[in-house]
């Protein structure tokens, strides 16, 4: 590659070995340094890609997503009208809290 080469979002994701969605989320979350302008037609320079590959090589977690949610899905409704409507979710949440306390 020459120094003037620019890559699109898809090509950069392929070079980093992740999907476009994972690359976008890492940039938006600030885990990876964003290029000057991020849009649907973003052009990444070779220098940016080399710096990102070095950062990911040092810490592979920069491009990974957490496999587990921090809040169980059935706990999202606590305190709302949906909380009273879905009794099974209430029971599941009570069991979950009991398991944590034990």
């Amino acid at each position: 590659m020459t120094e003037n080469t620019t890559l699109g979002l898809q090509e950069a994701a392929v070079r980093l070995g992740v999907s476009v969605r994972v690359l976008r989320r890492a940039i938006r979350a600030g885990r990876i340094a964003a290029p000057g302008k991020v849009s649907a037609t973003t052009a990444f320079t070779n220098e940016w890609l080399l710096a990102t590959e070095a950062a990911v090589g040092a810490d592979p977690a920069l491009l990974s997503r957490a496999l587990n949610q921090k809040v169980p899905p059935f706990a999202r409704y606590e305190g709302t009208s949906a909380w009273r409507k879905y009794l099974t979710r209430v029971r599941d949440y009570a069991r979950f809290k009991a398991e944590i306390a034990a």
Side-chain angles (χ1 to χ4, degrees):
M1 270 192 186
T2 62
E3 292 184 24
N4 296 338
T5 303
T6 58
L7 301 170
L9 198 57
Q10 181 68 34
E11 293 89 4
V14 168
R15 286 269 310 262
L16 292 170
V18 295
S19 67
V20 172
R21 176 183 290 173
V22 172
L23 180 58
R24 274 194 186 136
R25 286 186 180 174
I27 291 171
R28 288 179 185 156
R31 291 180 289 189
I32 294 177
K37 179 183 174 190
V38 179
S39 67
T41 58
T42 300
F44 300 102
T45 62
N46 193 33
E47 294 81 20
W48 178 88
L49 188 61
L50 292 174
T52 302
E53 285 175 339
V56 170
D59 185 12
L62 293 176
L63 290 177
S64 66
R65 291 176 39 195
L67 298 176
N68 298 327
Q69 292 180 340
K70 294 181 181 174
V71 176
F74 44 79
R76 294 184 194 142
Y77 297 101
E78 186 173 14
T80 66
S81 62
W83 179 256
R84 292 183 294 278
K85 292 178 185 176
Y86 300 105
L87 295 177
T88 56
R89 291 185 181 193
V90 173
R91 285 187 213 117
D92 288 343
Y93 186 67
R95 289 181 189 134
F96 170 76
K97 286 294 210 180
E99 288 175 9
I100 289 178

